Each structure stands twice: as structure tokens, then as C-alpha cells.
Amino acid sequence: MKRKLIAAIGIAGMMVSIAACGDSDSGSSDNSGADAKELTVWLTVDAQNNWPELVKAADAAIVKKHPGIKIKHEYYGWPDKNAKLDAVLATDKAPDVVEMGNTEMLSYMVKGAFAPVDPAKFDSSDAWLDGLKASVTYDGKTYGVPYYAGGRVANWRKDLFASVGVKSTPKTYDELTAALDKVQKKEGDKFNAWYQPTRDWYAAMSFVYDAGGSIAVESGGQWKANLSSPESVKGLKAFQNVVDTYMHGDKTKDESDRYIVYGQGKSGMIFAPAWEGATAAAKENDKTGKLEGNVENFVMPGPSGKNLPVFLGGSDLAVPVKSDAQAVAAEWINAFTGSSGQKGLMAKGNLPNNKTDLATLKNDPATAVPATAAESNWFVPMAPGWGQVEKAQVLQTMLQSIGTGKKSVEDAAKDADAAIDKVINTK
């Protein structure tokens, strides 16, 4: 999807009463609100603009089961959704279903804002994608339902690589770097054979997980940062090599305008959410006039010899603990995200929330690349203080220090670990 998932925000102090409500085991896993006469569903504008028929189908299923029920929908843009949600959760007028970016879930689960749900009541829950399943799980309980997913792939310009004799996408990391080296030599040292923004921690952590490292590890209910481990350092050095060798732009930039830079013809390749290549090639973004039909997605190989693990973005649906219609809310979610809903979402270009449907996409050349890439994925540590880590931009700061040469990989990783350890276990 052409939108950037917003990192989880801190909501400490948002509403004292919610934390008290969240201590209970009650929620949409029981029959509370089974006789509700109204249901309020909050979704983002993605659903409103791109698959309104799926929303109507879910509504129809619930109305058929609960004649006379009134279903109200409100749609929000990603930038302002959480502020409005925080405000309403402090009142007694909470929505019954709310869409969350999967990285947004954790802070709300920690604060007890969402009711627990029973995974057994939702289609394909035993096959939910690992990264999405992690995003709705906290302290052994499930607090949401995966909606759809979006992964990352490599994308390159076929014309540039063909000009140096490379006519097929690489299957190994050595093949990839050999091709990049040829393009870099041909285009000169001011060109980005691979435009890889230094502060793009989603890409950097893919290299860390590929090397067997991780951001943090859990032991005995406590989390500890792990970026300075030998495995994580190995992955960070592999990422550093990419930035040093192929990225000749501003070493302090993040990935927010990557597709724009790509569209300007300043790069031969990107590693990004699957929509970015096509968006760069769109008429309004293609400043070269050469990108339409000339950019190609492929599964990113990793230095380990396996496909590079990708951060699995996406959306989840949750039931606020203050909802008076929790049981019906859960039914609506299943009607929307169940088997027929997933087929509709896949038809719109999304990845499904489960491995069974994902496997079917691998048989279609149009969807084989993102589906294959998504099979190997990672997600952020589901630690109570992770939202504070993201808010402080610890990983971005570490990566910029490495990319600009301000610190060695080892020193930057140790400093990042120290910063993470200060907050990662703090609710």
C-alpha cells in the first residue's frame, strides 16, 4: 500500500481508567455485547478508497445475523488517527472496532486499551503470518486480528543493468553485488547504484536478522538489547558496506522520499515496500521518462545465502476494552478479515494475513515476488517499552552514526544497546 505505517506512539497517562479495565480477563472473548444494537467501526481511508465493497459485505453479514443492528463507519488518515483515538478512549464513547498499523498496537496493548480476543473464533488464525501474529500478541494474550500485510522487495532498473550485461534478476547476494559493482563503475561515483538511506532501520535490521542477530532478546520476562552481539554486528557491517559502496547521497536521510529520488533517475536499485518501484515509475514521479515498464521487483537475497528477512508491515483490527459491543465487534472483524475478505484484499494487491492464502500468491507471476519475500519476516520486540525506543529514534541515530563514520559499528551498537536497555522494560 502507498502509505507509511506510523510508529507506535507513547500513550502513558492517556487514561487511567483503561488500565484498570484492561486488567480483567473479560473482553470480546466472551459474550459481552452480544445483543448490541449499534456498532461503530473505525477504519483508515485505505478501506474507504480502495475496497469499500468489502466493508459493505462485512456489514451485510452482521446485519443478517443481527437484524436491525445499525453499523456506523468513520474513516481516518494515518497521521491524525491516533490522536483522535487517544482522545475518545479517555471517554465512554469508544468505537467498537479500530484499525491499527501493526507497529502501533504494542503501546495500546501495554496500557490495556484493547480487549483480549479468542483467536479460535477467527478464520485462519492458526496460520497467521508470524510478523502479524506477533503484533497482536502481548503477555501471552491476543488483543487484535491481523487484517492484511505489506512486505519489502528489491526493485531495479532493467535498462541500467542490461547496459552492463545483466539481463536477469539475481538469485544470490554475490550475483547482486557483482551487478551493482558493474553499474556503479559505469555510472560513476556520484550515482547511487543502490539508493539505501542510512536511517532506514527497517532495511538495516533485515541485515541484522539475516546474520542471526536481533534488536533485543527476552529472558525470564525481561528484555535486553542485542545489537552489540557478534551476530548483530555482522549484520550491521553488511548494511554499512551497502551504504559505503553504493549510496552516494546524503548519509543523514531517511527513507521517506526514496521513491521520489528513484523517480529522478538517481539510482539503479532500491530495497523498499513493494509499491515504491511502481510509484516511482508513475508519470507524475518519473522525471527520466524511462521508468514505465522498466522497473522490476525481485526477492532480495541476503548475505547469509537465504532470502533477506523483511519487516512485515500491515494493519490489525482491535476491539477497545470500553466497547459495549465486544462480541459483535469480533464477529464483524471475522466477517471482514475472514476467507472471503482475504480474497478481496488480495485482489486489490495486498498480501493476506495468513500463510495458506499467501502460498496461493506464489503461483501467480504478478504476485510471486512479494509473496515469496514475505515468507521470511521479522517484527519489532514486543517489549513494554518498545514504543519509547521508537519515539527516541535510537536505531536511526545509531545508523546515522555508522553511515557518516562518526562511530564504528561496535561503538554505535553498544551506545544503542545502552539507550534501549534504559527503557525497553518500562511500561
Side-chain angles (χ1 to χ4, degrees), residues 2 5 127 232 274 304 320 341 361 383 393 405:
K2 185 186 174 182
L5 293 180
S232 296
S304 69
L361 295 182
Q393 299 193 352

Side-chain angles (χ1 to χ4, degrees), residues 152-204:
R152 282 165 168 73
V153 298
N155 183 287
W156 72 5
R157 285 181 54 177
K158 292 186 289 184
D159 59 338
L160 281 178
F161 286 90
S163 73
V164 294
V166 180
K167 298 183 179 180
S168 61
T169 56
K171 299 299 185 288
T172 69
Y173 196 69
D174 286 343
E175 289 179 1
L176 172 62
T177 55
L180 288 166
D181 289 342
K182 291 178 181 179
V183 167
Q184 192 66 69
K185 181 178 180 180
K186 178 177 181 292
E187 298 295 327
D189 59 9
K190 292 185 178 180
F191 186 76
N192 306 292
W194 174 351
Y195 183 75
Q196 179 51 65
T198 308
R199 291 173 64 87
D200 177 10
W201 65 276
Y202 298 106

